[in-house]
Amino acid sequence: MQIFFKCNGEWVHQNEHVSEESLDESSGLKVREVFINVTRQQVEDFHGPEDYWCQCVAWSHLGTSKSRKASVRIAYLRKNFEQDPQGREVPIEGMIVLHCRPPEGVPAAEVEWLKNEEPIDSEQDENIDTRADHNLIIRQARLSDSGNYTCMAANIVAKRRSLSATVVVYVNGGWSSWTEWSACNVRCGRGWQKRSRTCTNPAPLNGGAFCEGMSVQKITCTALCPVDGSWEVWSEWSVCSPECEHLRIRECTAPPPRNGGKFCEGLSQESENCTDGLCILDKKPLHEIKPQSIENASDIALYSGLGAAVVAVAVLVIGVTLYRRSHSDYGVDVIDSSALTGGFQTFNFKTVRQGNSLLLNPAMQPDLTVSRTYSGPICLQDPLDKELMTESSLFNPLSDIKVKVQSSFMVSLGVSERAEYHGKNHSGTFPHGNNRGFSTIHPRNKTPYIQNLSSLPTRTELRTTGVFGHLGGRLVMPNTGVSLLIPHGAIPEENSWEIYMSINQGEPSLQSDGSEVLLSPEVTCGPPDMLVTTPFALTIPHCADVSSEHWNIHLKKRTQQGKWEEVMSVEDESTSCYCLLDPFACHVLLDSFGTYALTGEPITDCAVKQLKVAVFGCMSCNSLDYNLRVYCVDNTPCAFQEVVSDERHQGGQLLEEPKLLHFKGNTFSLQISVLDIPPFLWRIKPFTACQEVPFSRVWSSNRQPLHCAFSLERYTPTTTQLSCKICIRQLKGHEQILQVQTSILESERETITFFAQEDSTFPAQTGPKAFKIPYSIRQRICATFDTPNAKGKDWQMLAQKNSINRNLSYFATQSSPSAVILNLWEARHQQDGDLDSLACALEEIGRTHTKLSNITEPQIDDADFNYGRQNGL
């Protein structure tokens, strides 16, 4: 048996045939297969009346057999659609028909419809039909059908997108039912009454027509005038009674009151003595007995009332005196008015004669005669303040320096105004090995003093510090989303601690196990040996799209041996700590310092990590080249801050506002491509316009910022403007487009800010100014809600109204549950500017309806009173 090919009527040379033989296991017959290769060049060079074709011919001693002809054509797909879909405005329940004629192509293009960039599946929605000649038919339009529709044509060569057609489904307004007729507008005479209706059945939507006709109808009405009643004449006197009295009466019938008229005024019955005093009772004339009894009764009532009034006034005076005596030592005001108004107060520093082991230079003996008084602002930016800090190391908790702090400086150090600060109980410091070189504050330096307390951070770590006392405060790492809240009273009264907080920017020490992913930075706060009496609040940003259905999120802590152990799962009940998960951050209540991080274990493929995508650009060494760097990092402020720092060193410029990409855990990779590069102005190196990143590299991108670089080249140096699109998409997932429109010349380029909002001008805030709720008002809230209430209006309802509905057993173990709830509220709302959410929660509970202006108890000082009233608290 022999097999040969014939193409276009000519036999193909035997050397171009490739033959394979095999044995059919079912029949035992020998099977021979023959192949030939047809190249594109052969097809293009063929010029005949029909397409290029080939035919297989087989023959043996039994005869000859021919196959059918196989045509070979060059595939293509033109760019322009023959008909783009056109936008429509249709009423609700109307029919929508969008026409689409795809570009000419071989093979013929298959058409798919997109709505708002999402594919339309007509099999899942019976109201939509896409089978009729590539057209999209919506039988009955719904409000949800409004959107942008795109026709997508594709074959084996390419994909083409039509222009988008905007479909608006509008609703014409409809009248509601008429209301009842109102009452006549006059009490007497001719007037009118009305009824109304509203255009809300339904209300017009998306540009629909308003209702036609009148919304109000009026008709005339006549009201009967009211007639006031009038008395008839008195009747004759009655017969004299045994009590020596006779009566007469009259009726209100001349005329009687009608139509709402007034009733007659006065008495309808009169009585008088009918014997002229001759009636005898107990051997005395009646007129001598009755007046005397009446006079005695009146005297008794008068004296009884006066006695009761005197007793009441005496009891009130005694009660007020005892109350004021019992509350005279309630405590000092927490907020000093001079601190609020920026006033300057005197404060004294005086060294005593004992040696000091904690001086920056132990060999330098203190000046035993130093005793100065300074007046200045909180920031200590005057030259005298610089000299003071150099001599006495003000912010180092010295064990033998006695400091008496008054007024506004009391707020800065966080020490009580009346208490003297002794450092004999040595406060905690940085972990051993850290350089605690304090630098003095230059008088012209506008940076707050607390930033100068720590040494400059290294590349692998961001760090900030602050000195905190009994009044507590807040420590913020600017532009990272990380903060630490030390509540009032967490540190014992006569102690002060230097507290630090850092973020690891190097290789994470937490190694993921299995499918576990690091969702937050590793945050360290210390010193680790510091003990607090009230839980502090640590805020850590995360990049998970929070959903209990798709994620199992854990809080982990690093032990002293360097190992990581789980503290708790966010959804579990625990009495040792508390986690409150918000969309972009986790607020944790803890009682011990250390290194913490959030990890997540995806439960389903729908688990989503939020990535921030951004594009930076800069000129390269070659003056004609321009580099684009596209970053995909975890959506946490600290991760993006690291990118910004790197780009500043490289001279990079942010070209477009960063956007959010939802990256699913479905194992599909990430594609980054450069689109719409202006032809004849710019060009990109071949095969570099699209880059693909494996799923595992993106899913675990917390180790270092993930970026792809693209190199563009100008045709001429005169080209200074660049416009293109950066497409970042996950296969079978979310897609984002970054529109680049920039000048490559620095003088013409528009600057885009890296951070829209600064977390805090002062990384460390101490004392009452660090908290939004004034301390005296906070005390009243705690006193109100810590006490159990039969109606349930206690701390549990306070938690519920502040969206704290889980793990309430943790708060039950605290000495003041309301105080811990308010600490959590402070941590969540550090970026808010007012107390609206807390005021609304208290108003809904309904236990604080007494107006603030009616509260005159001395527990609330004037500053807190006015602050609370202005903020609705």
Side-chain angles (χ1 to χ4, degrees):
M1 181 175 63
Q2 297 184 14
I3 304 176
F4 288 96
F5 276 92
K6 178 186 290 187
C7 292
N8 304 318
E10 297 181 0
W11 292 101
V12 179
H13 194 276
Q14 184 176 359
N15 294 338
E16 297 180 14
H17 290 73
V18 179
S19 178
E20 293 181 359
E21 291 187 357
S22 60
L23 191 66
D24 188 348
E25 296 180 356
S26 60
S27 63
L29 297 177
K30 183 189 297 184
V31 178
R32 177 180 295 177
E33 296 185 39
V34 179
F35 307 87
I36 64 169
N37 290 323
V38 178
T39 65
R40 179 188 181 101
Q41 190 65 39
Q42 289 176 302
V43 179
E44 290 179 344
D45 292 344
F46 174 71
H47 300 285
E50 54 185 346
D51 291 333
Y52 188 103
W53 61 268
C54 290
Q55 186 179 36
C56 177
V57 180
W59 69 85
S60 69
H61 66 280
L62 298 178
T64 302
S65 178
K66 295 181 181 181
S67 71
R68 63 178 178 84
K69 292 181 179 180
S71 297
V72 182
R73 291 175 292 176
I74 297 176
Y76 67 92
L77 182 63
R78 300 193 183 279
K79 288 187 177 181
N80 297 326
F81 278 72
E82 296 183 4
Q83 182 178 4
D84 287 303
Q86 302 297 318
R88 296 284 306 279
E89 291 185 1
V90 296
I92 194 167
E93 296 185 355
M95 177 179 285
I96 302 174
V97 179
L98 298 180
H99 299 280
C100 173
R101 293 178 62 188
E104 178 187 349
V106 173
E110 295 183 359
V111 172
E112 179 185 23
W113 283 90
L114 305 179
K115 175 190 173 185
N116 298 332
E117 303 303 324
E118 295 292 334
I120 297 176
D121 189 352
S122 59
E123 294 182 358
Q124 294 184 358
D125 191 344
E126 297 179 351
N127 194 40
I128 297 178
D129 186 5
T130 58
R131 296 169 297 178
D133 196 22
H134 308 311
N135 298 329
L136 174 68
I137 300 174
I138 301 178
R139 297 182 179 88
Q140 287 186 322
R142 301 156 296 191
L143 288 176
S144 59
D145 291 325
S146 297
N148 295 319
Y149 290 82
T150 307
C151 182
M152 179 78 73
N155 65 3
I156 62 174
V157 178
K159 287 184 178 181
R160 309 293 185 204
R161 291 169 58 99
S162 71
L163 299 176
S164 293
T166 301
V167 172
V168 177
V169 180
Y170 61 86
V171 178
N172 292 324
W175 290 114
S176 65
S177 301
W178 288 103
T179 61
E180 297 293 332
W181 288 105
S182 65
C184 202
N185 68 321
V186 295
R187 289 190 60 196
C188 176
R190 188 178 178 84
W192 53 265
Q193 56 187 151
K194 66 178 181 178
R195 65 176 182 176
S196 62
R197 58 180 178 175
T198 58
C199 188
T200 57
N201 187 32
L205 288 175
N206 298 335
F210 197 79
C211 305
E212 296 182 359
M214 297 183 298
S215 61
V216 177
Q217 279 186 347
K218 290 185 179 181
I219 58 174
T220 59
C221 59
T222 303
L224 298 176
C225 296
V227 177
D228 295 337
S230 182
W231 292 112
E232 290 277 3
V233 297
W234 287 103
S235 65
E236 296 294 331
W237 288 103
S238 65
V239 179
C240 197
S241 68
E243 288 81 16
C244 304
E245 289 183 341
H246 60 176
L247 304 174
R248 67 175 181 176
I249 61 174
R250 60 180 177 174
E251 293 181 351
C252 186
T253 56
R258 296 193 305 271
N259 305 326
K262 295 181 181 179
F263 197 79
C264 304
E265 296 181 357
L267 299 175
S268 62
Q269 176 178 302
E270 277 187 350
S271 63
E272 66 178 19
N273 189 279
C274 55
T275 61
D276 294 330
L278 300 179
C279 189
I280 300 300
L281 183 62
D282 294 334
K283 298 182 180 181
K284 290 184 178 181
L286 185 63
H287 69 275
E288 295 180 8
I289 298 174
K290 189 172 181 179
Q292 185 176 356
S293 343
I294 294 173
E295 183 178 354
N296 291 340
S298 300
D299 291 343
I300 293 173
L302 175 63
Y303 291 129
S304 299
L306 289 175
V310 171
V311 172
V313 171
V315 170
L316 181 62
V317 171
I318 294 172
V320 170
T321 303
L322 293 176
Y323 179 84
R324 299 181 73 176
R325 286 183 180 178
S326 63
H327 288 74
S328 61
D329 295 330
Y330 179 78
V332 298
D333 292 337
V334 178
I335 292 184
D336 185 26
S337 60
S338 65
L340 296 174
T341 59
F344 293 76
Q345 294 291 336
T346 303
F347 52 92
N348 301 306
F349 301 88
K350 186 173 182 180
T351 59
V352 295
R353 300 185 179 272
Q354 287 80 3
N356 179 14
S357 60
L358 295 178
L359 284 172
L360 295 180
N361 186 359
M364 182 185 296
Q365 296 300 321
D367 184 1
L368 303 182
T369 63
V370 174
S371 177
R372 296 183 182 177
T373 300
Y374 292 93
S375 295
I378 295 175
C379 292
L380 295 179
Q381 294 177 348
D382 293 337
L384 288 178
D385 301 325
K386 176 179 178 181
E387 178 185 357
L388 170 64
M389 290 183 63
T390 307
E391 292 183 359
S392 59
S393 300
L394 172 61
F395 296 108
N396 191 2
L398 306 180
S399 60
D400 55 357
I401 287 185
K402 181 185 297 183
V403 182
K404 184 174 181 180
V405 186
Q406 296 178 347
S407 190
S408 61
F409 201 72
M410 172 269 295
V411 179
S412 296
L413 287 182
V415 197
S416 172
E417 181 178 359
R418 297 183 181 178
E420 290 200 346
Y421 169 80
H422 299 274
K424 293 184 179 181
N425 294 330
H426 175 52
S427 62
T429 60
F430 283 130
H432 298 295
N434 274 338
N435 180 15
R436 295 179 55 222
F438 294 97
S439 55
T440 58
I441 301 176
H442 195 278
R444 294 184 181 181
N445 185 8
K446 299 302 180 182
T447 307
Y449 72 89
I450 202 67
Q451 291 180 335
N452 294 310
L453 297 181
S454 61
S455 58
L456 291 175
T458 64
R459 182 68 181 84
T460 59
E461 190 178 70
L462 286 175
R463 179 184 294 269
T464 186
T465 63
V467 179
F468 297 87
H470 181 67
L471 296 183
R474 192 191 303 268
L475 191 60
V476 177
M477 191 85 72
N479 297 323
T480 65
V482 178
S483 63
L484 182 68
L485 183 79
I486 308 296
H488 181 282
I491 300 175
E493 276 206 38
E494 297 182 353
N495 285 353
S496 178
W497 287 82
E498 184 181 35
I499 297 176
Y500 66 90
M501 186 169 60
S502 64
I503 300 175
N504 178 21
Q505 286 196 307
E507 186 76 7
S509 60
L510 175 56
Q511 301 299 325
S512 302
D513 296 330
S515 60
E516 199 173 47
V517 181
L518 185 62
L519 298 176
S520 75
E522 296 176 3
V523 179
T524 302
C525 51
D529 56 345
M530 175 181 170
L531 299 178
V532 292
T533 58
T534 303
F536 61 90
L538 178 64
T539 298
I540 305 176
H542 66 80
C543 62
D545 191 357
V546 180
S547 174
S548 59
E549 299 175 357
H550 307 308
W551 281 106
N552 188 8
I553 298 178
H554 307 274
L555 175 69
K556 291 196 173 185
K557 180 181 181 181
R558 188 171 62 191
T559 63
Q560 294 181 351
Q561 293 75 23
K563 296 182 179 180
W564 287 84
E565 60 181 14
E566 182 176 337
V567 179
M568 70 173 294
S569 174
V570 172
E571 296 297 325
D572 290 346
E573 298 283 328
S574 173
T575 57
S576 60
C577 66
Y578 186 89
C579 290
L580 181 60
L581 201 62
D582 280 345
F584 298 103
C586 183
H587 311 282
V588 190
L589 295 176
L590 300 162
D591 53 13
S592 63
F593 289 86
T595 301
Y596 295 91
L598 289 174
T599 65
E601 184 179 358
I603 301 175
T604 68
D605 289 346
C606 295
V608 172
K609 273 184 65 175
Q610 296 178 341
L611 302 180
K612 182 171 288 186
V613 294
V615 56
F616 290 78
C618 69
M619 296 291 292
S620 66
C621 298
N622 182 355
S623 60
L624 292 179
D625 288 352
Y626 191 77
N627 295 329
L628 295 177
R629 288 184 290 274
V630 182
Y631 288 83
C632 297
V633 297
D634 291 350
N635 184 35
T636 58
C638 48
F640 187 60
Q641 188 181 34
E642 185 178 356
V643 171
V644 170
S645 177
D646 291 340
E647 283 297 321
R648 279 174 175 162
H649 284 91
Q650 300 181 51
Q653 176 75 21
L654 184 63
L655 303 182
E656 170 68 348
E657 289 287 344
K659 293 187 178 180
L660 209 60
L661 181 74
H662 298 283
F663 191 82
K664 290 185 178 181
N666 56 9
T667 70
F668 286 96
S669 59
L670 184 74
Q671 283 186 350
I672 303 176
S673 54
V674 182
L675 307 174
D676 297 345
I677 299 174
F680 310 113
L681 296 177
W682 292 87
R683 64 185 172 191
I684 190 170
K685 293 181 180 180
F687 310 110
T688 62
C690 181
Q691 301 184 32
E692 188 164 339
V693 185
F695 168 83
S696 58
R697 177 70 179 87
V698 183
W699 194 247
S700 304
S701 62
N702 44 50
R703 286 176 170 77
Q704 58 183 355
L706 168 66
H707 81 278
C708 292
F710 301 87
S711 180
L712 279 69
E713 183 182 0
R714 293 180 288 172
Y715 283 91
T716 63
T718 58
T719 301
T720 60
Q721 298 294 323
L722 172 63
S723 65
C724 63
K725 293 180 181 179
I726 309 294
C727 176
I728 304 103
R729 62 183 292 265
Q730 184 186 16
L731 298 180
K732 298 188 179 180
H734 190 212
E735 177 184 275
Q736 280 289 10
I737 300 292
L738 297 177
Q739 181 70 53
V740 176
Q741 185 77 37
T742 185
S743 171
I744 63 175
L745 301 179
E746 291 187 1
S747 59
E748 300 177 3
R749 190 162 51 202
E750 181 181 357
T751 302
I752 300 177
T753 56
F754 292 129
F755 297 100
Q757 178 180 2
E758 294 290 331
D759 283 352
S760 176
T761 307
F762 299 86
Q765 292 180 303
T766 55
K769 65 181 180 181
F771 302 95
K772 297 185 178 296
I773 308 173
Y775 180 68
S776 53
I777 294 181
R778 177 192 181 96
Q779 280 184 312
R780 289 185 58 83
I781 294 175
C782 294
T784 301
F785 291 102
D786 279 346
T787 306
N789 184 275
K791 297 181 179 179
K793 296 181 179 180
D794 50 19
W795 64 266
Q796 296 189 47
M797 184 170 289
L798 179 65
Q800 179 185 352
K801 294 299 181 182
N802 284 282
S803 303
I804 303 173
N805 303 314
R806 186 187 50 77
N807 196 11
L808 296 183
S809 58
Y810 171 83
F811 300 96
T813 61
Q814 305 297 321
S815 58
S816 176
S818 301
V820 180
I821 293 171
L822 294 180
N823 293 339
L824 198 56
W825 183 93
E826 291 273 4
R828 295 180 74 183
H829 296 83
Q830 63 172 334
Q831 298 291 355
D832 297 349
D834 53 42
L835 297 168
D836 284 349
S837 62
L838 182 60
C840 291
L842 295 176
E843 184 178 359
E844 287 179 14
I845 295 173
R847 290 201 62 184
T848 55
H849 281 299
T850 303
K851 291 184 179 179
L852 204 60
S853 57
N854 296 333
I855 299 177
T856 57
E857 288 83 354
Q859 289 94 328
I860 298 183
D861 63 342
D862 292 340
D864 289 358
F865 177 88
N866 294 327
Y867 180 80
R869 181 166 56 184
Q870 293 170 3
N871 288 276
L873 189 58

